[in-house]
Amino acid sequence: MIGEHTPTGMLLSDYRAHPVRQMIALVGAYGNQALPSKAEIDKLGLGTRDRKALEVALRAVAELRDDPDHDPTELSAREMAEQRAGEVVGGLPDEQKAPDWFERSQEDLSTLGPAELAARVKANTGGWV
């Protein structure tokens, strides 16, 4: 059913556009070949608990999708993807459920001056510049 796994308080359109939901849904459709890279998951900026929940959901959905012995009368990979995405997105902090959360979380480094950018790089690399 459409919207069945939409987290409480979220609009269906916001949930369906959420990057975590889209990532899990893609794996539900294409299996292991659609698994995101570590860098793609890192880019989401999730906390440790939420990242672990996402990784577990992605692996479970990929395994089900690619299982040649899966009984088609049971839960499909796409259905499982929706269920797991609803659980992961529903468990995120409220600010990460906002429709523009991901866009706001991507900092525009082009607005920083050379000194500010150098300081940011130094801070994020442990001083290895």
Side-chain angles (χ1 to χ4, degrees):
M1 170 178 269
I2 294 178
E4 177 181 356
H5 300 290
T6 304
T8 304
M10 284 188 83
L11 295 174
L12 177 61
S13 59
D14 293 343
Y15 167 65
R16 293 183 66 81
H18 198 281
V20 169
R21 187 240 165 227
Q22 290 180 349
M23 193 176 278
I24 296 172
L26 194 61
V27 173
Y30 297 103
N32 277 307
Q33 66 183 2
L35 281 171
S37 67
K38 181 184 180 311
E40 289 171 310
I41 294 174
D42 288 347
K43 191 175 181 181
L44 293 174
L46 300 176
T48 305
R49 179 186 58 85
D50 298 323
R51 181 191 177 99
K52 175 85 172 150
L54 173 60
E55 290 171 344
V56 167
L58 288 167
R59 280 193 304 274
V61 170
E63 287 174 14
L64 180 64
R65 170 62 177 77
D66 293 339
D67 181 3
D69 299 323
H70 178 68
D71 182 353
T73 63
E74 295 178 7
L75 188 68
S76 75
R78 287 184 183 198
E79 292 167 333
M80 178 191 242
E82 282 301 322
Q83 178 184 1
R84 297 301 289 268
E87 293 167 3
V88 174
V89 174
L92 292 174
D94 286 343
E95 65 272 5
Q96 289 183 336
K97 291 179 190 175
D100 63 344
W101 156 74
F102 185 68
E103 289 79 22
R104 285 186 292 120
S105 70
Q106 303 304 302
E107 185 175 7
D108 182 8
L109 298 178
S110 67
T111 61
L112 299 179
E116 294 169 307
L117 186 56
R120 181 71 53 88
V121 169
K122 186 174 182 178
N124 289 329
T125 60
W128 295 96
V129 207

